[in-house]
Amino acid sequence: ARHHSSQGSAAAGAAAGEEEVWSYVYDASDPTPSIGGPSFNGFNAGVKLMRPLEWRKDVLTFDLPPPLTEDVVVVGEVTANMLFSSDLPTADLLVKLCDVDSWGVSRNVAEGYVRLVLPDDTPTPVRVVMATAYKFKKGHRIRALLCSGAHPRIARNLGVTDKEWECVQGRKGIMRIHSAVGKMRSSMTLPICQGGFFDLELDQFGVPLAHPR
């Protein structure tokens, strides 16, 4: 995976206009765990600290670089439009919207998930939708967390499409997020309560953080 310092910018490591590709390895034998969010498990539901997830190698985190200069109230459907590819025939994409306070502590706000059948290593437009009503306070940062599992809340994807019920060992695969392909760009749209939408292209968030502080 390509990781950069939390002090990097969207242009770090790339020439102007160059399309970025961020990757991580998903391993069905060590699936990304479920932490927080919607769950019938009362001990692991709701708002949780995201640090255990953010330190995993199979997770990408993107921050909107500057702290917010005023409160931002998001109400409605948050949409993540991602250009996603994998060397596996099927893969999952889970997107979490997170709130990072002034101390650098990250907590989940909302999440969405899709299971995909993919053409081999071909960037595919994927839409992940989640709903929330939440105030990001002045001085906080908005974070997007991307991964390919939430085990055991969501059954792990074994990386096969044929006779999955006979599969005894899952496959390991490379997951890729593309900043842009042609005129299409990976982005997130946040509906702002005061009216209108907050459109953020993924590379506006800055490069993925290796280990968020």
Side-chain angles (χ1 to χ4, degrees):
R2 301 179 60 180
H3 294 299
H4 302 268
S5 162
S6 60
Q7 300 303 312
S9 67
E18 181 181 343
E19 296 177 358
E20 288 269 30
V21 178
W22 303 286
S23 65
Y24 57 93
V25 176
Y26 168 79
D27 185 353
S29 65
D30 181 26
T32 318
S34 170
I35 298 179
S39 175
F40 288 113
N41 179 355
F43 296 101
N44 191 32
V47 178
K48 298 292 182 183
L49 299 180
M50 291 292 100
R51 177 62 61 88
L53 272 184
E54 292 167 345
W55 278 72
R56 288 181 60 94
K57 293 181 179 180
D58 56 359
V59 172
L60 291 178
T61 55
F62 297 83
D63 275 14
L64 188 63
L68 297 171
T69 57
E70 61 182 15
D71 291 351
V72 173
V73 180
V74 177
V75 178
E77 287 189 347
V78 176
T79 305
N81 293 297
M82 297 294 156
L83 294 165
F84 182 71
S85 68
S86 173
D87 59 354
L88 296 178
T90 176
D92 295 355
L93 180 61
L94 185 140
V95 180
K96 285 180 179 280
L97 179 68
C98 300
D99 181 6
V100 184
D101 67 22
S102 56
W103 294 93
V105 178
S106 173
R107 297 176 174 86
N108 56 308
V109 173
E111 69 177 63
Y113 155 86
V114 290
R115 176 157 292 185
L116 306 160
V117 176
L118 297 162
D120 186 39
D121 271 341
T122 301
T124 301
V126 177
R127 174 169 291 184
V128 182
V129 179
M130 61 204 85
T132 191
Y134 187 84
K135 178 192 285 187
F136 291 90
K137 295 182 179 179
K138 178 181 177 180
H140 287 209
R141 285 177 289 130
I142 298 172
R143 175 170 292 171
L145 183 154
L146 282 69
C147 61
S148 291
H151 183 75
R153 178 166 58 87
I154 298 173
R156 59 181 175 167
N157 192 321
L158 298 176
V160 297
T161 55
D162 184 42
K163 297 183 179 180
E164 183 177 358
W165 59 91
E166 294 181 359
C167 184
V168 294
Q169 184 174 359
R171 297 173 60 187
K172 182 186 295 186
I174 300 174
M175 310 293 151
R176 299 183 182 89
I177 302 293
H178 304 256
S179 65
V181 176
K183 294 183 179 181
M184 297 185 296
R185 304 192 68 85
S186 291
S187 64
M188 290 189 71
T189 300
L190 281 63
I192 306 302
C193 187
Q194 292 89 337
F197 292 89
F198 196 8
D199 290 309
L200 299 167
E201 292 181 356
L202 195 60
D203 50 15
Q204 286 181 265
F205 277 81
V207 293
L209 314 183
H211 295 299
R213 68 177 182 84

